[in-house]
Amino acid sequence: MTIEGIDGIFLETHNWGQAAKYYQALGFELDFATDHGSGLLRHHTGPYVFLVEVPADQEARTQFVLKVTDEQAFQPDAVLEVLNEFEDTHYGTREMLVRDPDGRLWNLQAPGKD
């Protein structure tokens, strides 16, 4: 298998500013922020945290992002529940969505095609 490990954590929040300050207090540094309540924080060489603000009436979800080094070599095992095959994202990567046996969503992220 070509999974390198946890690349990042995608977190939805009800208050972007408060959540960003919280992670910065833990030692994460703001890599970039958007003008629509989202941004990426990094802590040394560990996994990134991507925060995105959602409306207060929407459940704030957590999603793990696993790094796939070679999409072509990755062959999903029959035990994986694949929800979406690899597809291009608007931010330059390719992603596949799978669900684990307990219902958690895992985002497999591969480099974008050149």
Side-chain angles (χ1 to χ4, degrees):
M1 191 157 297
T2 58
I3 299 292
E4 218 173 81
I6 296 176
D7 200 24
I9 302 171
F10 178 84
L11 296 173
E12 293 178 336
T13 179
H14 294 126
N15 186 317
W16 151 251
Q18 186 178 32
K21 287 178 186 173
Y22 173 83
Y23 286 99
Q24 286 173 313
L26 290 174
F28 284 82
E29 294 181 13
L30 185 63
D31 190 315
F32 71 85
T34 69
D35 60 357
H36 54 272
S38 66
L40 186 112
L41 296 108
R42 294 191 183 275
H43 192 275
H44 305 293
T45 60
Y48 64 81
V49 172
F50 190 86
L51 293 171
V52 62
E53 187 170 300
V54 297
D57 63 346
Q58 181 178 324
E59 179 184 358
R61 300 172 299 148
T62 300
Q63 189 172 340
F64 299 95
V65 180
L66 299 177
K67 186 174 187 176
V68 176
T69 54
D70 183 358
E71 174 189 342
Q72 299 306 314
F74 181 76
Q75 297 298 318
D77 190 291
V79 73
L80 291 178
E81 180 184 355
V82 177
L83 302 177
N84 291 40
E85 295 290 337
F86 277 106
E87 59 188 52
D88 294 328
T89 67
H90 68 278
Y91 42 88
T93 63
R94 297 205 18 99
E95 295 181 348
M96 172 188 276
L97 186 64
V98 297
R99 185 184 345 255
D100 75 15
D102 294 308
R104 286 180 290 268
L105 299 178
W106 292 80
N107 187 332
L108 294 108
Q109 189 173 80
K113 293 184 177 180
D114 295 328

